[in-house]
Amino acid sequence: RGNILAFDGSEQVPLVLNEQRFDIVADPEIITDKEETALRVADVLKISKDEIINSLNKDSRYEILAKKQPREIKEKIEKLYAEGSIVGVFANKTIQRVYPNGALASQVLGFVNDEGQGSYGVEEYLQSELSGTSGKLKALTDQNGVPLLANGNNIQDDPVDGKDVTLTIDVAMQRQIEAILKQGLDNAKSKSGSIIVVDPDTGEIKAMANYPSYDPAFFSKVEDTILFTNPSVSSVLEPGSIMKTLTAAAAIDSKSVTWDQSYYDPSFYKIDDAVVRNIEEDGGAANRSVSDILKFSLNTGATWLLMQMGGGQLNEQGRKVWNDYMTNHYQLGKQTGIEQGFEESGYIPDPVDGFGLNIQYANTSFGQGMTSTPLQLAMAVSSVVNGGTYYKPTLVAGYTDTNGLYTAKQPTVVKEDVVSEEVSSKIVEFMQIVVSNNSITKGLVRDGYVIGGKTGTAEIARPEGGYYEDRFNGTYVGFVGGEKPKYVVIARVNEPGIPGYAGSKAAGPVFVSVANMLIDNFSVEANNR
């Protein structure tokens, strides 16, 4: 099976390697003294004699007594066989995956089960590339099992090793991201969360961390199998106000509004039997700008943007325009195709068929009533702030074949003209204003750097319908760079136990830590022109 590597600077270092181990197996049919055999083998394997007797009494020609044993166990079994103390017990060579970096990025990697199948993560998605092809031998033989080489019917296919795969993950960044996530969750009194760092100009994932996680070297000891999944791609949520970034971009790009347009914000809208309100700190009814919608995180402002997509009111036209941007421009509601098992699609409501569509779509404009994964959101925002190109997210930098030839994987463009370059530059500007006006993030403002972001606080939906009034998820999406965004970052904090808005108070500090770390350690050069 191919190895899995990643980058440490410019050097490729191993995350997953193969180590030779041995399965201890028995052929019960040729073992005459099962009691004596079981006694001697049990002493070597340090398992109960009764367990071995049970295997030897089966009507079988092949029983596995112990899996993936070290070489010293194999040698002890072979010694017993050579002495004539046992017959019918053998050591078969097998491969065990080992992890030089421990549990680092385990949910990205996945593991290989006892049947040799990749499970979860990269191991499952790239099973065919990593596993290679088993060899085959079909031959007529003599009575001793020796192939009759002169026979023209003999067929032999040599085995082919799997390819080595090099991930886009930066090992040093991944290690620091995992530490920042754990500290941020502890500070927020949260039990789970995620961070993704992506290069918006290629779609390459540089770090992807989740907590809690597991150690793939001991996957068989994990009791809760949900730990095997990668929440960054498999766990959807209602993202909250970070969607306002995408709503504003869609409204400007569709020419429903201009970037410098002002409007009167009434501080609430009554839609059907529901009311859309802002947070208490919004300042009440006032004349507002499009930039203010992000700066003050106005739910009514996002609703107003949706109304402008419908020509000034909530209607089917506006719903269709907004749905087109969500699904066809931002690629929400569909899998990204990243190299991970169990990726979720998320949910975007139909703009025509359904009940209460106007309030439902008003909710989507500020990130409720729809769901997405953190990865989908990171890629959508990346496509808006990089000038308007949606790159397919990838964890694979390249492959190395059995001849040692490394082939780099090229970026894949899913859609161009997600938004225009002019709209992209305005959204970058608006997101910088958000950072500079937020008490949590304003300290990030530095000369020569572009640092922008947007908070998201979303009520958690009840299974039976409606929302909990006291349970929230916090998200923060942002970017950091010199002349332009170099990294896009999304942080997710589930149900923080601290007071205040979850996006700002819980996820915001995580983004601050990540942004500072990236500037200090990962080639974010200031634009000093």
Side-chain angles (χ1 to χ4, degrees), residues 237-240 363 366-369 456-462 466-474:
L237 80 162
E238 296 187 19
N363 287 337
F366 49 85
Q368 299 267 190
T457 300
E459 295 175 313
I460 297 175
R462 294 177 179 270
Y467 292 88
Y468 294 103
E469 294 182 357
D470 58 349
R471 295 172 61 183
F472 304 89
N473 289 325

Side-chain angles (χ1 to χ4, degrees), residues 8-39:
D8 190 357
S10 60
E11 181 183 0
Q12 295 188 26
V13 298
L15 293 180
V16 187
L17 296 172
N18 297 313
E19 184 174 89
Q20 192 175 92
R21 291 295 179 100
F22 301 88
D23 290 342
I24 308 303
V25 301
D27 181 352
E29 186 172 306
I30 64 174
I31 299 174
T32 55
D33 192 343
K34 291 182 170 55
E35 285 284 338
E36 181 65 19
T37 300
L39 181 65

Side-chain angles (χ1 to χ4, degrees), residues 358-377:
N358 281 334
I359 184 60
Q360 190 173 20
Y361 260 73
N363 287 337
T364 65
S365 72
F366 49 85
Q368 299 267 190
M370 47 78 64
T371 63
S372 63
T373 65
L375 177 66
Q376 290 173 315
L377 293 167

Side-chain angles (χ1 to χ4, degrees), residues 517-528:
M517 182 271 291
L518 293 173
I519 291 172
D520 293 339
N521 300 328
F522 291 98
S523 304
V524 180
E525 298 179 0
N527 177 22
N528 294 316

Side-chain angles (χ1 to χ4, degrees), residues 71-88:
R71 181 173 295 277
E72 54 264 30
I73 297 297
K74 164 193 177 278
E75 292 173 348
K76 288 179 180 180
I77 292 293
E78 290 178 341
K79 182 179 180 183
L80 291 175
Y81 186 86
E83 293 171 348
S85 301
I86 60 172
V87 295

Side-chain angles (χ1 to χ4, degrees), residues 63-339:
E63 284 296 314
I64 298 177
L65 305 180
K67 292 182 177 181
K68 297 180 179 179
Q69 299 297 301
R71 181 173 295 277
E72 54 264 30
I73 297 297
K74 164 193 177 278
E75 292 173 348
K76 288 179 180 180
I77 292 293
E78 290 178 341
K79 182 179 180 183
L80 291 175
Y81 186 86
E83 293 171 348
S85 301
I86 60 172
V87 295
V89 180
F90 314 95
N92 284 347
K93 183 173 69 173
T94 187
I95 294 297
Q96 175 174 290
R97 299 294 247 181
V98 293
Y99 305 89
N101 285 277
L104 189 76
S106 62
Q107 289 163 325
V108 170
L109 297 173
F111 58 88
V112 178
N113 65 23
D114 289 339
E115 285 69 49
Q117 294 294 313
S119 300
Y120 300 90
V122 169
E123 293 276 24
E124 177 172 320
Y125 195 94
L126 299 180
Q127 167 70 11
S128 59
E129 290 86 346
L130 288 166
S131 63
T133 306
S134 297
K136 295 180 180 179
L137 175 64
K138 178 182 179 181
L140 294 174
T141 69
D142 64 17
Q143 63 183 2
N144 296 315
V146 177
L148 300 173
L149 298 179
N151 190 289
N153 293 324
N154 289 354
I155 300 173
Q156 179 171 340
D157 294 329
D158 291 328
V160 178
D161 287 345
K163 296 178 181 178
D164 290 350
V165 57
T166 300
L167 302 184
T168 57
I169 295 291
D170 186 294
V171 172
M173 187 187 298
Q174 178 75 22
R175 187 173 290 112
Q176 292 181 66
I177 289 293
E178 290 187 7
I180 288 172
L181 176 61
K182 180 61 169 66
Q183 185 62 60
L185 295 177
D186 288 346
N187 292 342
K189 298 181 181 179
S190 168
K191 295 180 180 179
S192 62
S194 305
I195 300 174
I196 303 172
V197 181
V198 60
D199 181 342
D201 293 322
T202 63
E204 292 186 348
I205 305 300
K206 296 302 182 182
M208 181 179 279
N210 307 288
Y211 183 88
S213 188
Y214 72 102
D215 188 335
F218 303 101
F219 71 87
S220 61
K221 297 182 180 179
V222 174
E223 296 180 357
D224 186 359
T225 57
I226 195 66
L227 290 178
F228 294 148
T229 61
N230 179 351
S232 292
V233 304
S234 65
S235 178
V236 298
L237 80 162
E238 296 187 19
S241 293
I242 62 177
M243 279 296 291
K244 292 168 186 170
T245 301
L246 302 178
T247 309
I252 301 171
D253 191 67
S254 63
K255 296 181 171 52
S256 303
V257 301
T258 60
W259 68 267
D260 57 350
Q261 188 168 341
S262 296
Y263 72 102
Y264 178 74
D265 193 303
S267 82
F268 75 93
Y269 285 113
K270 191 175 187 303
I271 304 170
D272 300 330
D273 295 326
V275 177
V276 172
R277 298 184 185 277
N278 295 324
I279 60 175
E280 293 84 351
E281 293 85 351
D282 74 331
N287 288 319
R288 300 291 191 185
S289 67
V290 174
S291 176
D292 286 341
I293 296 172
L294 302 187
K295 178 180 176 181
F296 297 107
S297 199
L298 302 174
N299 294 341
T300 50
T303 302
W304 177 80
L305 290 171
L306 177 60
M307 293 167 65
Q308 305 319 298
M309 290 185 233
Q313 59 185 328
L314 295 175
N315 56 25
E316 183 176 313
Q317 173 190 324
R319 297 195 304 268
K320 284 183 174 180
V321 171
W322 177 219
N323 178 272
D324 178 62
Y325 271 87
M326 284 193 285
T327 59
N328 296 324
H329 290 243
Y330 305 144
Q331 308 297 310
L332 299 175
K334 61 187 76 173
Q335 294 182 354
T336 68
I338 195 170
E339 302 89 353

Side-chain angles (χ1 to χ4, degrees), residues 375-405:
L375 177 66
Q376 290 173 315
L377 293 167
M379 300 315 300
V381 172
S382 292
S383 72
V384 169
V385 303
N386 71 5
T389 302
Y390 190 107
Y391 291 95
K392 180 179 179 179
T394 184
L395 283 158
V396 175
Y399 297 95
T400 303
D401 64 20
T402 53
N403 296 317
L405 177 64

